Amino acid sequence: MELHSIACGNFKLDGGAMFGVVPKPLWDRTNPADANNRIEICSRSLLVEEGNRLILIDTGMGNKQSEKFFGYYDRSGPESLDASLSQKGFHRDDITDVFLTHLHFDHCGDAIMKNKNGVLTPAFKNAVFWSHESHWQWATNPNPREKASFLPENILPIDESGQLTLLKGDGFIMENTPLEFDVILVNGHTEKQMLPLIKYQNKTVVFAADLIPTVGHLPIPYVMGYDTRPLMTMEEKSKFLKLACEKDFLLFLEHDPYHELITLQNTEKGVRMNEKHKLTTYF
C-alpha cells in the first residue's frame, strides 16, 4: 500500500462559523483571521494505492459552480485535484473508487463535472462512488440547516450514473468494509460521517475530515457552528481522541493548511498535537 496526499486548493471560511461559541481571541491563536474574519482552509484529499485499486478519499469542491458562489469562499493557490494527481503520475480515469466521507459541497463537489455541453457527469468515469446509506438519505432529503451544503448537482448525478454503492452499518467502528480500511462513524457534524481508519506501515492513519478539521479544533469544546449536533460532536471527539492516544493514531487533516499529518499527546489541558509532519517525510 502507498498513501498520497492530494492538494485540491485553498479557500476561506468565516472563523466564527468554524469555531461556534468559542471566543475569537482563543481560536485566532491557531487559525488567524483576515480583515473579514475569515480563516484559511485547505482541501486535502488522500489517495490510497493498493494493488489494482486507487481509492480517492474526498474530492474538494471542484470548479463547476458560478463565480458568485466561489466569491463567498475566496479560493486561492495553484493546487487542483487534477494537477496533484498528475504530479503523482495518475489521472482521474485511473481512480477505481471515490470514497466520500460526507456529501457537503467542499468534500464532494469535484466528484461531478460539467462536460462541454453543460451536462453533469461523474468526473471519475471508471470509479465506484461510496457513501453511507443513512447519510445519502440525509443528504438527498436535507434539513434546513444543511440544505445549502448539500447541492443536488453534486449528489444526484452520482446515483443517476449507476456508479453509486451505499455502505450500511452503525456503531462507532465499521470493520471489514469492501474497501482497504475500516471506518469510524460519527454523527455530530452530519448524519453518518465516515472517517477512514487506514493501517499503513505498522501505523494507523485516520482521515479526520470534519470531526477535527484543523489542529485548532482539537480541544473538546472547539466545535464548528456548522455541526448539526454539537454536543454529540463533543462526545464523539472525546471518545475518538482517547482512542487515538491509546492506539497512537496519526491524524491526516483535510482542512488545515498548516498541518498535514500530526501525532497526538495527552496534556493537562487535554489531547493536543505532539508533532506535525508531511506524509512523504514521516513514512
Side-chain angles (χ1 to χ4, degrees), residues 1-6 45-58 85 90 94-99 179-181 196-200 205 207 252 279:
M1 178 184 286
E2 293 289 337
L3 298 182
H4 307 278
S5 179
I6 304 296
S45 299
L46 185 62
L47 186 65
V48 181
E49 182 182 5
E50 174 65 10
N52 294 324
R53 297 182 84 170
L54 275 177
I55 305 170
L56 182 67
I57 302 172
D58 283 354
L85 286 176
F90 301 114
D94 300 323
I95 303 300
T96 62
D97 303 85
V98 176
F99 181 90
L179 295 140
E180 303 296 334
F181 44 75
L197 195 69
I198 304 165
K199 289 180 170 51
Y200 180 57
V205 177
F207 189 88
F252 184 88
L279 192 63

Side-chain angles (χ1 to χ4, degrees), residues 13-20 22 27 31 33 36-39 217:
L13 289 173
D14 182 81
M18 283 297 291
F19 285 93
V22 178
W27 57 256
N31 300 74
N36 294 315
N37 207 49
R38 297 182 302 180
I39 65 172
H217 291 87

Side-chain angles (χ1 to χ4, degrees), residues 11-81:
F11 59 102
K12 292 183 178 182
L13 289 173
D14 182 81
M18 283 297 291
F19 285 93
V21 300
V22 178
K24 181 178 179 179
L26 297 181
W27 57 256
D28 196 58
R29 299 171 186 171
T30 55
N31 300 74
D34 65 13
N36 294 315
N37 207 49
R38 297 182 302 180
I39 65 172
E40 293 284 346
I41 297 291
C42 77
S43 289
R44 184 182 291 122
S45 299
L46 185 62
L47 186 65
V48 181
E49 182 182 5
E50 174 65 10
N52 294 324
R53 297 182 84 170
L54 275 177
I55 305 170
L56 182 67
I57 302 172
D58 283 354
T59 69
M61 66 174 65
N63 60 10
K64 67 180 178 295
Q65 308 300 332
S66 67
E67 288 187 20
K68 180 179 179 181
F69 177 89
F70 289 122
Y72 297 127
Y73 303 104
D74 194 20
R75 293 197 304 169
S76 63
E79 294 91 355
S80 70
L81 190 150

Side-chain angles (χ1 to χ4, degrees), residues 8-267:
C8 301
N10 288 11
F11 59 102
K12 292 183 178 182
L13 289 173
D14 182 81
M18 283 297 291
F19 285 93
V21 300
V22 178
K24 181 178 179 179
L26 297 181
W27 57 256
D28 196 58
R29 299 171 186 171
T30 55
N31 300 74
D34 65 13
N36 294 315
N37 207 49
R38 297 182 302 180
I39 65 172
E40 293 284 346
I41 297 291
C42 77
S43 289
R44 184 182 291 122
S45 299
L46 185 62
L47 186 65
V48 181
E49 182 182 5
E50 174 65 10
N52 294 324
R53 297 182 84 170
L54 275 177
I55 305 170
L56 182 67
I57 302 172
D58 283 354
T59 69
M61 66 174 65
N63 60 10
K64 67 180 178 295
Q65 308 300 332
S66 67
E67 288 187 20
K68 180 179 179 181
F69 177 89
F70 289 122
Y72 297 127
Y73 303 104
D74 194 20
R75 293 197 304 169
S76 63
E79 294 91 355
S80 70
L81 190 150
D82 287 299
S84 295
L85 286 176
S86 179
Q87 288 172 5
K88 303 296 182 181
F90 301 114
H91 185 272
R92 285 177 186 258
D93 294 351
D94 300 323
I95 303 300
T96 62
D97 303 85
V98 176
F99 181 90
L100 300 169
T101 61
H102 59 299
L103 296 166
H104 288 169
F105 68 83
D106 56 319
H107 294 258
C108 73
D110 212 0
I112 298 296
M113 62 187 298
K114 283 184 180 179
N115 66 20
K116 61 183 179 181
N117 297 317
V119 177
L120 295 168
T121 60
F124 303 88
K125 66 180 184 180
N126 298 315
V128 175
F129 292 83
W130 298 88
S131 184
H132 191 283
E133 182 180 51
S134 296
H135 181 69
W136 185 267
Q137 295 302 318
W138 184 271
T140 53
N141 297 280
N143 60 77
R145 184 180 178 88
E146 285 184 279
K147 189 173 183 179
S149 294
F150 291 130
L151 305 182
E153 61 266 34
N154 289 337
I155 299 172
L156 299 183
I158 300 175
D159 189 22
E160 294 164 359
S161 72
Q163 295 172 235
L164 175 66
T165 297
L166 297 175
L167 294 171
K168 300 180 181 180
D170 215 329
F172 188 59
I173 298 181
M174 288 175 55
E175 298 179 326
N176 303 315
T177 73
L179 295 140
E180 303 296 334
F181 44 75
D182 295 335
V183 171
I184 290 176
L185 291 177
V186 286
N187 299 282
H189 179 59
T190 188
E191 178 73 9
K192 295 295 185 292
Q193 181 183 193
M194 300 191 293
L195 312 182
L197 195 69
I198 304 165
K199 289 180 170 51
Y200 180 57
Q201 295 191 19
N202 299 315
K203 300 292 288 186
T204 299
V205 177
V206 181
F207 189 88
D210 277 350
L211 178 64
I212 303 174
T214 76
V215 164
H217 291 87
L218 282 169
I220 300 303
Y222 287 44
V223 174
M224 290 190 290
Y226 300 112
D227 287 15
T228 58
R229 307 172 179 122
L231 294 179
M232 184 178 291
T233 295
M234 292 172 64
E235 294 175 1
E236 291 169 339
K237 192 193 300 188
S238 179
K239 182 177 181 179
F240 170 74
L241 290 175
K242 179 181 179 182
L243 179 65
C245 282
E246 290 175 354
K247 301 295 185 179
D248 197 25
F249 290 168
L250 294 162
L251 270 58
F252 184 88
L253 300 179
E254 183 169 15
H255 284 317
D256 193 320
Y258 315 111
H259 305 88
E260 179 175 288
L261 189 73
I262 63 169
T263 59
L264 301 172
Q265 62 179 333
N266 281 303
T267 75

